[in-house]
Amino acid sequence: MADEVVTTATTTDAVENPLREGLDVVRTGDPAVMVIFGASGDLARRKLIPALYNLAYQRLLPPGFTVLGYARSPYTDEEFRERARQGILEHSSVNFQEEIWESFAQGLFYMAGPYNSREDFQRLAQRIDELDEARNAHHNRLFYLATPPTVYQVITANLGAVDLARPKEGGWTRLVVEKPFGRDLASARALNDHLLQIFLEDQIYRIDHYLGKETVQNILVFRFANGIFEPIWNRNYVDHVQITVAESIGVGDRGGYYDKSGALRDMVQNHLLQLVSLTAMEPPVAFDAKAVRDQKVNLLRSIRSLEPEEVPDYTVRAQYTSGIVNGKRIPSYLEEPGVAPNSTTETYVAWKLEIDNWRWSGVPFYLRTGKALPKKITEVAIYFRKAPHLLFKSQHHQEELIQNVLAMRIQPNEGISLKISVKQPGPAVHIQPVKMEFHYGSSFGRVPPDAYERLLLDVILGDGTLFTRRDEVEVAWERVTRILEGWRLEEEKAKAEGREFHLPTYEAGTWGPKEADELLARDGRRWRRL
Ligand code: BG6
């Protein structure tokens, strides 16, 4: 069992608030041997190792916690440690302290080997046993798939074959699977079927790193720990919702992966639909893995499925052309390395998503995400209905003034703001919009921790609340696969009619294609200026 150290609550109402239960508890987990497959790669170096170091720095990693990197590159333990050290120096958000590094590094090991060899996995099993004994890891094992998804099946099949999937007596065995989790409904199902022949569902932790972001978790606390918002969080008061996940970077050196994926698979199926489900779900009966995930699945199931022919009316996809972002020229998507010269892969998606349930019927959720946009920003904005009766008819921009907007800023400058109209000082009635704001940085005096820190700690603790369950992944893929199908038909239709299919474009450094503006303009709305 995990040790629990209860910290002193810092606010007087902490004990009355059920959602704080567990949140103001500092938890450290059991010792374990964590095997990172793909340990020589970017994810391990940039995210996983720095996150583990950060946990060690905060004394949240139990003594005896051991990392065994596994990949094809032939490193020694020493070389792996050196790479880890560099990764931490470049990417950790906490200070580098020699004595913490020394003790952390003693728990880092490496083993080179292929993913498809049973004999090598037997060697791996032996090495795990040796490390377990030497470092007193209590038979707990954590396998992390940080490889390309093409080898997920062969790795897990080999784990099963050498009997590493079944928990050893007295210990636990868990598997963490990175995205992409499939590339459509059929492949996601096939992957789930495969994994579930080897592991039990509650051994599997499917990562969506957005769920590890403090401000994403804060959506639930904001909604369900405050009495004043939930009563108006519905179709009677909300006009529409806008969710933006904008990135200023282009695809850079990830063209090879990205060109086979595109923004819908890369961002919408997972991160944006997670934001939708947390924003729109019904209150869970408890703040635990089952209750929260049950409600998220219910919400995802109420997202309207599009017929393929409807898809062009509800979605917009586009590709960036060359342009300037943050003062630097970005080449057009088609010129990026690894991208097919005639690629129709989208780097931008907008989706008018409708939710067919009592709470949200008739309230559109407008989603947009893209690469090479003017800035990096993620936010959820709730637009409330206008005041029912206009007293101040003579004012300019009265339409704007009376629409209250609650914006939950996920990143950067994490915080929440509420736009309200106030009277400007003076004898005449001049109305002006102002913002009431909460800033995470100034209220808590720190930037939020990296998402991987929280998620790795939760895996070690065996808490699946912030991970996606099988049914959740599949229902999200079902809705997204319909869009993919609609897009495919659109292209086939053009071909059958002897037309060339043209994907809309937008210049890098602008807020997306004009078609996305038209999507909202048709409903008499426009995208929020960010
Ligand atoms: C990843 C996508 O899941 O999320 C990337 O594959 C994207 O394409 C990244 O850049 C964005 O994450 P964050 O945390 O920077 O918003």
Side-chain angles (χ1 to χ4, degrees), residues 430-441:
H430 282 302
I431 298 175
Q432 192 180 321
V434 293
K435 281 184 184 167
M436 293 165 69
E437 301 201 62
F438 146 71
H439 287 290
Y440 193 103

Side-chain angles (χ1 to χ4, degrees), residues 145 147-157 177-180 191 194:
L145 300 182
T147 60
T150 42
V151 288
Y152 286 176
Q153 305 220 1
V154 68
I155 292 175
T156 45
V177 189
E178 266 292 335
K179 66 168 281 248
L191 181 55
H194 165 84

Side-chain angles (χ1 to χ4, degrees), residues 179 209-210 213 247 254 266-267 271 371 376 411:
K179 66 168 281 248
H209 78 279
Y210 265 57
K213 292 182 191 278
E247 292 187 277
R254 294 173 74 222
D266 187 51
M267 297 295 287
H271 310 324
K371 301 265 186 216
K376 180 170 176 73
Q411 63 184 17

